[in-house]
Amino acid sequence: MTTGVIPGGQSPEPRPTDPQLPEQRREPGGHGPLHVDNRTRSAVITARAAASFEPVGRSVATARSFVRDTLQGWGFGDIVDDAVVLTSELVTNAVVHAGTAADVLCLRSDAGVRIEVADRYPEREIPLQGAAINMGSPDREGGRGLQLCAALAGRWGVEYTPTHKNVWFLLDLPERPVGTRAAGPALPAAMLPLADGRVRVAVVQIDRGGSITSWNEDSETLFGYAAEQVTGKPLTDLAAWPHTPGTGTGIAEALQLSRWEGSYGIRGAHGRVIPVYASHLRVRDTAGEPSTVCLLVQDHERAVLQTPSRVPASTDAGTASDGQSADPFEVFIGSPAPDDLDGLLQRTVERARDMLDADAAFLLLATDDETELEVRASTGLPSARQRFARVPVEAGPGRYGSARMPAVHDDLAAVPGAVPLLHGTGMRSVVTVPLKVEGRLTGSLGVAAEAPGRYSNEEALRLQFAADRIALAVESARLGELERLRRGSLSFLVEASDLLAGTLDRDQTLALMAQMTVPTLATWCAVYTIADQASEPYLSYVLHEDEDLIDGIKSLLSKVPPPDPVPTPGARVWTTPAEAAHQAALRTSMRSLGLGDSHHRVGTSVGPTLATASAIGGETVVLPLVARNRVIGMLTLGKPTDEHFRQEILELAEDLSRRAALALDNARLYSERTAISQSLQRSLLPPGLPEVAGVEVDVIYRAAGEGNEVGGDFYDLFPIRDGAYGFAIGDVCGTGPEAAAVTGLARHALRLLAREGFGGPAVLQRLNSAILDEGARSRFLTLLYGELWPQEDGSAVLKVVCAGHPLPLRLRQDGTVEPAAEPQPLLGVMEDLELYEQTVTLDPGDVLLCVTDGVTERREGTRMLGDDGLADVLTTCTGLTAGAVAARIMRAVERFASDAPSDDMAILAMRVPEIMTD
């Protein structure tokens, strides 16, 4: 891949185009004929990045990374997902389907980003101007690139030349208006709020226990305390008023709310009470620890922090005070609206709470099938515990059990469970109203108070009036968020599929499954696998975003029964881990207090702890891993205590689980077949070399090809009868399974025939007939076969037949090397062979070296080791043992060329030891 980045304001040279072929484009989402686009590119190109990718499969992933890195480097994170998806499709078309290199060009301008993907496929016809193009079916495997361009890009087109086809698309930058949530008219200076010469904003941070952890310089100036004087003390020690006037909420309770705004007093170092106006925001750090950030100003400067007041409820929501029509949504929410869904929903519940003078408010959004409601925003409630929790739309019989109708509850204590969301919150009275768009339920808005009997039908009508006016805006923002999520999900799945397809190793596939889900989709993940239908699910992999908790989670899950392998698609809630975590935490706490049974052990040092229980105590869901109509495992996703999954994340996880299941099953099948192949291959090798009295024997064997243990080369050494041994080294034409099959035939036939008493020529003649009987499956074979007789005088006598094989070499003690046999015809070619054997005597200190042609034909460019090069290496082996000789030969062969060997190699070395004398 070659890349280049050219910053600056110079416009790049345009691509050469035929003047008869104007730039073409299709309007997004259209399926009509191409239109002539007379608009030119942006006059100002502020940056340019280009890269070329070879026509190989891995180039698609590399191109995605190039585009992602380029756009993120330019600060265009909003359009990265769309750009990655489109680039992936277009580069796939070029390098996979067209089989050519792909050139990717990214252009940045003030208007947006233009990305061009060009391939080099000149045989394609240049379409006539204005001719209709058939986009094809979206269900087809290919041809989706242009459909995606039409769906996602603001503009796109295709440019043809005699040598290139260039597809381009333009992604517009999202509008980024000034993010004001409220604005007021310009006023004369005399009408502006009064403030001191310098407005001081005290920033105070409060930890989970209500103690001060941060105290800035303005806090010191306003209240007179140095930071070291107040750090670690509860804020309630400084608060002069225990309750906010007009409410029943104290300062301690206000600090626990997600948002709070109001007045109270702080007792300064001089002893006087300083009235302040405060804005609280509940946050959590990267470790999940909650705290509250408090912004405080003097009460008469409250305009610095105070949220602008809404239009009074008595005002007609459809008419402004001057008689002109006003937007009802702006009347309720304020102008302009938040630019994100979460901000809009939070603003909505805050205004609903204020409108009915409530203690709490909540807003739920309906799922796509309108069967459940998902908590998306709340105020006055423990939002961290409730966020994304789901409740049924139809909770019971009658209108009060359905979220489709307004409902007023005077006292929840009289009807426990009527509003499950408020269970345990202390709220007594509540009013809920539906949010509907064109008659379809889209959500539910509710407000609640701590006192009973606070609300009547009149308040329900007021709340319904407001809900009707915000429903459309909420639904529009929700659809916008869903669109962004789905585009991001598509990019995520493209990357995930590429990673899963890149390995056939089972353990690596399991690790990838977990790493793709944590922390993107879940806080922790566990993968169960099922070997076969009769086996129980086995916990194969556990991952948590905090590595210190992995062992504890694994220990906890190993002590509970695994989830049932139900093939039903979709995520289902699994409560067992949370219950087990709760029980483990309870036992641990009781034991630490000395209240537990001393004989009852919670676990080992890495067993469940309080931290583990907190990490695993939230919502847990199980997704089946189904491949080829069989459940092969389960993907378990979990959240920490009191957290829930949102519906869109579960849908994405379900899609991922389908891809992961196929990848895992492919890895399983590959592992099984590899194990079978290796087992069969090992059966073709000798079980071991026998000990030959008076002769050293060593063998080195290397099979070519990844995963092969046996190829076309083979060796053998076996006893024939007392005092006699047979040895062989051969080479079957070709490599791989076909050659290995002939290898097995040759090795077993040699042993059988030799033990039947046949001599060397007879053994090879009968083996030749057996190979020819294989017909089309036969392979010709070169073979060196011999019989070895160790002698009492320390020498060894050998009778050898060399049938088309590289000649054996004899190394004498004086360093001379000579062939030890003469060449004869190879096997598997002619039916009638006239073979003869030759006798060789090895004196003490002599070495007989037998190799296959993978050794002598080792190449580096035009050079080849050859018989002479092998002989030169062997001359340096005088005095070495048989094992050292074989090792030196192999080392010389490997060093002769830098590339990995492409042929099988076998080396058989036999040496007669020197006679030791006193």
Side-chain angles (χ1 to χ4, degrees):
M1 183 187 78
T2 59
T3 63
V5 179
I6 307 173
Q10 297 297 325
S11 176
E13 292 296 328
R15 295 183 183 274
T17 57
D18 191 322
Q20 300 301 320
L21 299 173
E23 184 177 327
Q24 304 176 68
R25 72 181 180 94
R26 183 184 299 276
E27 295 297 336
H31 296 282
L34 295 176
H35 303 287
V36 177
D37 185 359
N38 295 320
R39 290 176 290 180
T40 60
R41 300 178 189 170
S42 174
V44 178
I45 301 298
T46 56
R48 177 182 185 271
S52 296
F53 302 93
E54 297 299 321
V56 293
R58 64 176 179 272
S59 293
V60 179
T62 309
R64 288 199 298 266
S65 299
F66 164 71
V67 171
R68 183 182 297 278
D69 294 343
T70 298
L71 298 192
Q72 287 180 341
W74 289 348
F76 295 156
D78 294 334
I79 60 175
V80 162
D81 290 330
D82 288 355
V84 166
V85 171
L86 294 177
T87 303
S88 179
E89 285 289 334
L90 298 179
V91 173
T92 299
N93 290 342
V95 303
V96 176
H97 300 305
T100 78
D103 300 325
V104 179
L105 174 65
C106 302
L107 300 174
R108 183 184 71 185
S109 67
D110 297 336
V113 173
R114 172 175 168 137
I115 297 178
E116 303 179 1
V117 179
D119 63 38
R120 305 165 188 176
Y121 193 51
E123 287 95 3
R124 296 180 182 176
E125 293 183 0
I126 300 177
L128 297 176
Q129 177 180 345
I133 290 182
N134 181 13
M135 298 293 287
S137 169
D139 296 327
R140 292 177 52 193
E141 181 63 24
R144 292 192 297 259
L146 299 184
Q147 288 181 307
L148 283 174
C149 287
L152 301 181
R155 293 169 55 204
W156 67 277
V158 185
E159 299 171 352
Y160 292 89
T161 71
T163 59
H164 286 76
K165 178 175 75 73
N166 181 39
V167 181
W168 61 268
F169 59 88
L170 180 66
L171 296 176
D172 298 324
L173 298 181
E175 295 183 2
R176 292 172 176 160
V178 177
T180 53
R181 295 179 59 181
L187 295 176
M191 297 181 63
L192 296 177
L194 183 64
D196 293 340
R198 176 190 171 191
V199 177
R200 298 186 181 274
V201 180
V203 181
V204 183
Q205 191 160 3
I206 313 298
D207 64 13
R208 180 196 293 267
S211 299
I212 298 172
T213 60
S214 178
W215 186 267
N216 72 339
E217 293 182 0
D218 280 357
S219 301
E220 297 181 5
T221 303
L222 285 175
F223 309 124
Y225 299 105
E228 56 270 16
Q229 292 179 274
V230 296
T231 300
K233 292 184 178 181
L235 180 64
T236 52
D237 289 355
L238 304 180
W241 300 332
H243 295 281
T244 301
T247 71
T249 303
I251 297 301
E253 289 78 8
L255 292 174
Q256 301 299 316
L257 302 180
S258 60
R259 289 176 181 268
W260 187 88
E261 191 175 311
S263 301
Y264 52 86
I266 294 292
R267 183 174 291 105
H270 45 62
R272 296 192 301 270
V273 174
I274 303 171
V276 297
Y277 191 84
S279 176
H280 297 176
L281 176 65
R282 189 77 161 159
V283 298
R284 62 173 179 168
D285 59 19
T286 54
E289 188 66 19
S291 62
T292 302
V293 177
C294 306
L295 304 181
L296 311 174
V297 296
Q298 296 184 72
D299 193 60
H300 67 273
E301 297 175 340
R302 63 170 57 198
V304 175
L305 300 179
Q306 187 174 25
T307 301
S309 60
R310 57 177 170 81
V311 175
S314 59
T315 302
D316 185 358
T319 306
S321 58
D322 59 359
Q324 298 180 354
S325 177
D327 185 347
F329 172 75
E330 293 184 1
V331 170
F332 183 72
I333 296 296
S335 176
D339 57 0
D340 65 292
L341 179 62
D342 289 337
L344 171 61
L345 299 183
Q346 189 63 37
R347 186 72 174 271
T348 299
V349 295
E350 291 171 358
R351 289 302 177 89
R353 176 201 60 193
D354 296 342
M355 184 178 70
L356 297 186
D357 193 20
D359 297 316
F362 52 89
L363 193 149
L364 302 86
L365 295 182
T367 56
D368 290 340
D369 56 5
E370 296 185 34
T371 60
E372 289 185 311
L373 295 166
E374 190 176 65
V375 180
R376 293 300 302 271
S378 64
T379 182
L381 297 174
S383 58
R385 176 170 66 88
Q386 303 293 349
R387 187 167 170 79
F388 299 123
R390 288 176 296 279
V391 298
V393 170
E394 308 292 344
R399 59 170 295 179
Y400 293 108
S402 173
R404 302 181 187 276
M405 300 293 291
V408 178
H409 293 278
D410 289 333
D411 192 351
L412 292 179
V415 282
V419 183
L421 186 64
L422 299 180
H423 179 70
T425 61
M427 300 298 164
R428 298 285 296 277
S429 54
V430 61
V431 54
T432 61
V433 297
L435 275 69
K436 293 185 177 182
V437 175
E438 297 180 352
R440 182 174 58 87
L441 180 69
T442 60
S444 178
L445 176 64
V447 296
E450 297 174 350
R454 284 280 298 273
Y455 304 114
S456 63
N457 289 340
E458 181 181 352
E459 282 80 8
L461 289 173
R462 290 177 59 194
L463 190 61
Q464 184 67 72
F465 184 80
D468 290 343
R469 279 146 182 77
I470 65 169
L472 185 59
V474 169
E475 180 67 1
S476 176
R478 187 184 73 88
L479 292 176
E481 181 192 65
L482 286 177
E483 180 66 18
R484 290 189 295 272
L485 284 173
R486 285 168 181 164
R487 291 188 180 187
S489 299
L490 185 58
S491 175
F492 171 79
L493 291 173
V494 166
E495 299 282 357
S497 300
D498 185 66
L499 288 172
L500 290 171
T503 179
L504 287 173
D505 181 82
R506 176 182 176 277
D507 293 338
Q508 189 174 2
T509 301
L510 291 172
L512 284 174
M513 291 170 57
Q515 291 166 4
M516 285 185 294
T517 57
V518 176
T520 305
L521 305 181
T523 306
W524 64 272
C525 167
V527 183
Y528 290 84
T529 56
I530 303 174
D532 52 63
Q533 294 182 355
S535 302
E536 289 294 323
Y538 174 75
L539 182 61
S540 299
Y541 201 90
V542 175
L543 184 66
H544 190 281
E545 60 184 9
D546 184 354
E547 293 183 357
D548 295 337
L549 298 175
I550 293 178
D551 289 336
I553 295 176
K554 188 181 300 183
S555 176
L556 179 67
L557 293 178
S558 65
K559 292 177 172 60
V560 302
D564 296 329
V566 179
T568 306
R572 70 181 191 275
V573 177
W574 185 32
T575 60
T576 303
E579 294 171 354
H582 176 74
Q583 293 298 324
L586 181 61
R587 290 195 300 268
T588 302
S589 299
M590 294 179 63
R591 188 178 172 197
S592 65
L593 297 173
L595 302 176
D597 186 354
S598 60
H599 300 288
H600 182 77
R601 298 292 178 185
V602 176
T604 63
S605 59
V606 295
T609 62
L610 292 176
T612 302
S614 176
I616 204 173
E619 187 175 45
T620 302
V621 297
V622 177
L623 298 106
L625 299 174
V626 181
R628 297 171 178 86
N629 297 321
R630 185 175 74 86
V631 180
I632 63 171
M634 284 87 68
L635 178 64
T636 304
L637 306 179
K639 288 282 190 179
T641 300
D642 296 331
E643 289 195 20
H644 300 266
F645 288 97
R646 62 184 305 173
Q647 187 65 30
E648 294 80 11
I649 294 298
L650 295 180
E651 293 173 358
L652 179 58
E654 182 180 357
D655 208 343
L656 175 65
S657 69
R658 288 194 291 268
R659 289 164 167 78
L662 290 176
L664 182 61
D665 197 49
N666 288 337
R668 178 186 63 83
L669 293 175
Y670 178 78
S671 298
E672 290 177 357
R673 281 155 177 72
T674 300
I676 294 172
S677 174
Q678 291 175 347
S679 178
L680 292 175
Q681 290 183 62
R682 282 192 292 269
S683 70
L684 301 178
L685 294 174
L689 296 177
E691 293 288 338
V692 180
V695 179
E696 298 174 0
V697 181
D698 206 325
V699 174
I700 294 178
Y701 182 84
R702 296 285 188 274
E706 183 179 355
N708 291 332
E709 294 189 15
V710 177
D713 291 4
F714 69 95
Y715 68 92
D716 203 358
L717 177 66
F718 54 91
I720 300 176
R721 50 190 172 272
D722 291 343
Y725 295 86
F727 67 92
I729 183 169
D731 184 3
V732 179
C733 173
T735 60
E738 295 82 2
V742 179
T743 295
L745 170 65
R747 194 177 70 81
H748 292 293
L750 286 174
R751 287 195 173 209
L752 178 63
L753 294 171
R755 287 169 177 170
E756 289 293 324
F758 293 100
V763 168
L764 268 60
Q765 288 166 356
R766 284 164 173 77
L767 175 59
N768 180 64
S769 298
I771 293 174
L772 292 175
D773 289 344
E774 290 293 304
R777 296 181 299 176
S778 66
R779 295 281 192 278
F780 64 78
L781 167 67
T782 67
L783 180 64
L784 172 66
Y785 173 74
E787 295 179 356
L788 169 67
W789 285 275
Q791 304 297 309
E792 293 182 358
D793 62 358
S795 64
V797 176
L798 296 87
K799 293 182 178 181
V800 298
V801 181
C802 186
H805 199 76
L807 299 179
L809 299 179
R810 176 181 180 181
L811 172 66
R812 296 184 180 274
Q813 280 188 297
D814 59 3
T816 61
V817 175
E818 60 186 11
E822 297 176 354
Q824 300 183 58
L826 75 167
L827 308 181
V829 179
M830 300 179 293
E831 293 185 1
D832 298 326
L833 289 180
E834 294 295 333
L835 302 174
Y836 58 91
E837 62 184 9
Q838 296 173 272
T839 302
V840 180
T841 300
L842 296 181
D843 296 325
D846 288 356
V847 174
L848 185 71
L849 177 67
C850 311
V851 300
T852 58
D853 61 5
V855 174
T856 57
E857 295 180 0
R858 177 73 162 149
R859 294 179 179 275
E860 174 69 20
T862 59
R863 298 187 306 118
M864 186 172 71
L865 180 63
D867 296 332
D868 294 339
L870 179 63
D872 292 341
V873 177
L874 185 58
T875 58
T876 66
C877 297
T878 305
L880 299 181
T881 63
V885 171
R888 178 169 291 186
I889 298 298
M890 178 56 72
R891 187 162 55 250
V893 171
E894 291 175 342
R895 292 178 176 177
F896 187 79
S898 57
D899 296 337
S902 59
D903 195 4
D904 304 327
M905 292 187 293
I907 301 173
L908 172 62
M910 293 183 289
R911 178 178 181 270
V912 178
E914 300 176 8
I915 299 176
M916 305 297 295
T917 58
D918 295 335

